[in-house]
Amino acid sequence: MATIYDVAKKVGLSVTTVSRVLNNRGYISEATRKRVYETMEELNYQPNELARSLLRKQSNVLGLIIPDVAHPFFSELASHMEACAYASGYKILLCNSHLDPDKERDYIDMLKRNRVDGIIMGSHTLEVDEYRTLQRPLVTIDRMIDASIPYVASDNYLGGRLATQLLLDKGCRKLAHICGNLALDLLANQRDAAYVEAAAAGGVEALTYETGTNVFDEGEYRELVKQLFAEHPEVDGIFAGSDLMAAFVLQECARLGRSVPDQVKLVGYDDVPMASWFVPSITSIRQPIRQMGELAVELLLKQLAGEEVPPATVLPVELMERETT
Amino acid sequence: MATIYDVAKKVGLSVTTVSRVLNNRGYISEATRKRVYETMEELNYQPNELARSLLRKQSNVLGLIIPDVAHPFFSELASHMEACAYASGYKILLCNSHLDPDKERDYIDMLKRNRVDGIIMGSHTLEVDEYRTLQRPLVTIDRMIDASIPYVASDNYLGGRLATQLLLDKGCRKLAHICGNLALDLLANQRDAAYVEAAAAGGVEALTYETGTNVFDEGEYRELVKQLFAEHPEVDGIFAGSDLMAAFVLQECARLGRSVPDQVKLVGYDDVPMASWFVPSITSIRQPIRQMGELAVELLLKQLAGEEVPPATVLPVELMERETT
DNA sequence: TTGTAAGCGTTATCAA
DNA sequence: TTGATAACGCTTACAA
């Protein structure tokens, strides 16, 4: 690869001058600028960002740690983040933690060694201290790790309430909430709190079924749904923690010959595109995934620019009523 | 962040020695090694990979260009690639081209400036020459750009044949293939070729409906499916280019009151996890996505190691028969 | 308007 | 077994 020296030599100028036209700094004559550009073109010159980053102490790379891009929620989130970062001249280094603490720690160290400018955490399995000592801007998604770390989330409490209220309004008499493991301490846990309260207020019985702490495991999800219907066949309203889980509920209902929404009503969560692809299409609580991704990136960039950012950003959710209720 | 100088100073040795223990090179006394390690720990030292990469002319970063991680096929592919790269000490820089040539060119330049060691292309919208002059190892997924660029694909021809044959065996009398735009010149086009041949051999009429050249556009897909049924209501066998498209077919059939598989039989493609989540679950042609991802990474790493790699790697596909046929 | 030289944090070469 | 120093490709005082 051509270096700035090659360009300088070929065009008969010093590297300083070439660097100047490259960065549009200081005074350079039009003629010189033109000649330099031409030469760069000829040599197919691409400035070495590693060298630049080393000098500037800024890499224009952001680290993204999520459980797994293969999960529809995170893949959509990642897609929007990438687009937003790209628009501001930043790149994304992709890390799938699989919720494995060793891997997550490893990734964090890797990101530090590579001097990423900031990190977005959509996964957290370590002790608070390991995040606090990170020495670089952080933003989390849907988790409050520490007061010093800004987070982006949607209104989980409202989401839980909307979902439950809808099931109540539709006349359900016995509810179940199938959700991720509450020990993971996500803000998503507020959905369950809201669910429990709303159900109590409505005078309706409310079960909660938690998955294990593994990252998305299809078999386990299916088992849980099976178990729920086996133990409580009289359940007639289900609030699922994701559209994915809702899909499994739909399938299990079909297997059991229970019609949705006639005998069982179902509300999913996230409103990933998939939710509207099923028959019946899945009623869901929409998280503004695009906004969440963009905001996370923006908050990170703001921190990099030395600006203050709010410690918490909670975006509104919306009930998307479809055919399962 | 602490530098190697800080460590050297604190431990009372030269940077050379510290560098040696860091890289496990040359002779160092056990005592020294131990003291150095301790000091690194104390200072929370993380070697600057930017500096290392600059010197070694090797960044241990791979570029991944795909249309969009939000698409289930690519998100799963990306997930496996990331895991495989990680296992070998490589990181992945994520780029969503959205099949936009300007963006793709931009990304390629960015990856060059950042001195990635190699690039995996799951998208290609530029002229062959732009790829040939890339000056670094490349591997493509499902596209043959040039004889000099190795590709990984699954057996599209066989996939097309298996799908078509199944529909014929099940007694379909009029087939339709809904697929991506054939002008994109993907190896996936072989599916259509196989489909046309197999249908002809079976003496059955075979339509082909192509989408536009946009990256996955839900509305467009739905329109296409609607159009197909409007123009040819007598179609009784559909071969969809992805499980996603198959889902739309399923939905449209429900809307039209045509039962699947009784009145219309349906085969999807890819066998992403989603395929088995629908009711009825979708019969699909399984691409070995994991293997494809891993192999692509491995082929790239082999090239980096200076080894010869086969110009073409075609993996087997498998018919996953489920409830839509 | 342009050039010289130091420095970013490493590793490799050569000496000691 | 350890250390001094040049080099990687770039930017930026400081000079001219």
Side-chain angles (χ1 to χ4, degrees), chain A residues 97-105 121 123-128 130-131 143 145 184 213:
Chain A
S97 73
H98 289 276
L99 299 185
D100 171 347
D102 291 333
K103 212 169 169 188
E104 193 180 314
R105 194 181 346 255
M121 307 265 342
S123 161
H124 83 289
T125 56
L126 308 179
E127 297 302 313
V128 173
E130 304 202 50
Y131 299 104
R143 52 247 305 152
I145 295 184
L184 287 177
T213 52

Side-chain angles (χ1 to χ4, degrees), chain A residues 1-2 44 46-51 53-54 68-70 75 79 82 86 91-96 103 106-107 109-110 112-115 136 216 218 222 244 247-248 251 254 273-274 276-279, chain B residues 1-2 44 46-51 53-54 68-70 75 79 82 86 91-96 103 106-107 109-110 112-115 136 216 218 222 244 247-248 251 254 273-274 276-279:
Chain A
M1 294 241 65
N44 207 336
Q46 298 282 0
N48 186 332
E49 287 295 337
L50 296 171
S53 300
L54 179 58
D68 193 350
V69 254
S75 71
S79 175
E82 192 277 335
Y86 170 77
K91 310 122 215 168
I92 298 270
L93 221 42
L94 178 67
C95 310
N96 296 132
K103 212 169 169 188
D106 228 47
Y107 269 127
D109 285 346
M110 181 274 274
K112 282 166 104 171
R113 288 195 301 274
N114 284 275
R115 300 301 191 263
R136 50 187 29 78
F216 170 61
E218 184 168 338
R222 286 186 189 281
L244 232 107
F248 295 137
Q251 227 175 16
M274 218 176 60
S276 51
W277 300 348
F278 288 84
V279 180
Chain B
M1 295 239 64
N44 208 337
Q46 298 281 1
N48 186 331
E49 287 294 338
L50 296 171
S53 300
L54 179 58
D68 192 350
V69 254
S75 70
S79 175
E82 192 277 335
Y86 170 77
K91 309 121 216 166
I92 297 271
L93 221 43
L94 178 66
C95 309
N96 296 131
K103 213 169 170 190
D106 228 46
Y107 270 126
D109 285 346
M110 182 273 273
K112 283 166 104 171
R113 287 194 301 273
N114 283 276
R115 300 300 191 259
R136 51 189 26 82
F216 169 61
E218 184 168 338
R222 285 185 189 283
L244 231 109
F248 295 138
Q251 227 175 17
M274 216 176 62
S276 51
W277 300 348
F278 288 84
V279 181

Side-chain angles (χ1 to χ4, degrees), chain B:
Chain B
M1 295 239 64
T3 73
I4 201 171
Y5 278 91
D6 300 324
V7 177
K9 192 164 163 193
K10 177 142 190 194
V11 78
L13 287 166
S14 74
V15 292
T16 310
T17 307
V18 176
S19 173
R20 276 207 190 92
V21 346
L22 201 58
N23 297 282
N24 254 314
R25 248 189 275 289
Y27 300 97
I28 340 133
S29 72
E30 247 337 292
T32 302
R33 181 192 301 275
K34 188 151 169 283
R35 277 198 300 145
V36 170
Y37 274 137
E38 283 168 8
T39 314
M40 286 178 172
E41 192 77 17
E42 283 169 37
L43 293 179
N44 208 337
Y45 170 72
Q46 298 281 1
N48 186 331
E49 287 294 338
L50 296 171
R52 290 204 207 207
S53 300
L54 179 58
L55 197 63
R56 292 187 180 144
K57 295 171 183 311
Q58 177 190 323
S59 61
N60 280 35
V61 176
L62 305 180
L64 173 61
I65 305 186
I66 51 181
D68 192 350
V69 254
H71 188 292
F73 175 79
F74 289 108
S75 70
E76 199 186 329
L77 193 66
S79 175
H80 292 130
M81 286 177 170
E82 192 277 335
C84 184
Y86 170 77
S88 300
Y90 281 79
K91 309 121 216 166
I92 297 271
L93 221 43
L94 178 66
C95 309
N96 296 131
S97 73
H98 290 276
L99 298 185
D100 172 347
D102 291 334
K103 213 169 170 190
E104 193 179 314
R105 194 179 347 255
D106 228 46
Y107 270 126
I108 288 180
D109 285 346
M110 182 273 273
L111 294 175
K112 283 166 104 171
R113 287 194 301 273
N114 283 276
R115 300 300 191 259
V116 299
D117 294 335
I119 302 179
I120 298 176
M121 307 264 342
S123 160
H124 82 289
T125 56
L126 309 178
E127 297 302 314
V128 175
D129 252 16
E130 304 203 50
Y131 300 103
R132 251 196 313 237
T133 56
L134 231 46
Q135 313 280 8
R136 51 189 26 82
L138 230 63
V139 170
T140 64
I141 299 283
D142 200 42
R143 51 248 303 151
M144 184 166 51
I145 294 182
D146 184 78
S148 66
I149 304 173
Y151 68 80
V152 173
S154 62
D155 193 338
N156 285 286
Y157 191 86
L158 178 61
R161 196 148 57 75
L162 288 173
T164 314
Q165 197 57 54
L166 180 67
L167 293 173
L168 293 176
D169 291 349
K170 297 281 179 178
C172 296
R173 302 302 307 150
K174 177 150 184 178
L175 306 182
H177 181 202
I178 309 179
C179 59
N181 198 285
L182 298 173
L184 287 177
D185 192 25
L186 301 185
L187 290 168
N189 291 4
Q190 296 172 357
R191 298 177 204 166
D192 191 61
Y195 158 79
V196 168
E197 285 175 32
V204 159
E205 197 181 341
L207 305 163
T208 295
Y209 274 73
E210 301 173 50
T211 67
T213 52
N214 283 333
V215 74
F216 169 61
D217 173 341
E218 184 168 338
E220 190 194 319
Y221 283 19
R222 285 185 189 283
E223 263 323 300
L224 197 66
V225 174
K226 275 208 168 62
Q227 188 192 337
L228 161 63
F229 280 111
E231 296 176 356
H232 300 278
E234 73 283 18
V235 161
D236 60 358
I238 296 192
F239 173 26
S242 68
D243 296 323
L244 231 109
M245 287 193 192
F248 295 138
V249 172
L250 220 44
Q251 227 175 17
E252 183 64 10
C253 284
R255 216 184 55 90
L256 295 173
R258 315 204 58 187
S259 93
V260 177
D262 296 340
Q263 296 171 273
V264 175
K265 309 207 188 308
L266 172 65
V267 180
Y269 212 98
D270 293 342
D271 193 32
V272 289
M274 216 176 62
S276 51
W277 300 348
F278 288 84
V279 181
S281 57
I282 299 174
T283 292
S284 188
I285 302 296
R286 152 153 246 167
Q287 293 205 65
I289 304 185
R290 174 193 209 116
Q291 263 189 79
M292 289 170 77
E294 291 178 349
L295 211 57
V297 171
E298 283 163 19
L299 289 183
L300 210 45
L301 298 188
K302 274 197 181 158
Q303 288 184 67
L304 290 173
E307 296 175 39
E308 277 293 318
V309 306
T313 307
V314 178
L315 300 170
V317 295
E318 193 183 347
L319 172 65
M320 307 297 289
E321 197 168 350
R322 300 205 181 86
E323 300 165 357
T324 55
T325 44

Side-chain angles (χ1 to χ4, degrees), chain A residues 13-22 28 32 36:
Chain A
L13 288 166
S14 75
V15 293
T16 311
T17 307
V18 176
S19 172
R20 277 209 190 90
V21 345
L22 201 56
I28 339 130
T32 303
V36 170

Side-chain angles (χ1 to χ4, degrees), chain A residues 147-168:
Chain A
S148 66
I149 304 173
Y151 68 80
V152 172
S154 62
D155 193 338
N156 285 285
Y157 191 86
L158 179 60
R161 196 150 57 74
L162 288 174
T164 315
Q165 198 55 56
L166 180 67
L167 293 172
L168 293 174

Side-chain angles (χ1 to χ4, degrees), chain A residues 3 31 49 56 60 121 157 204 244 272 281:
Chain A
T3 75
E49 287 295 337
R56 292 185 182 146
N60 280 37
M121 307 265 342
Y157 191 86
V204 158
L244 232 107
V272 289
S281 57

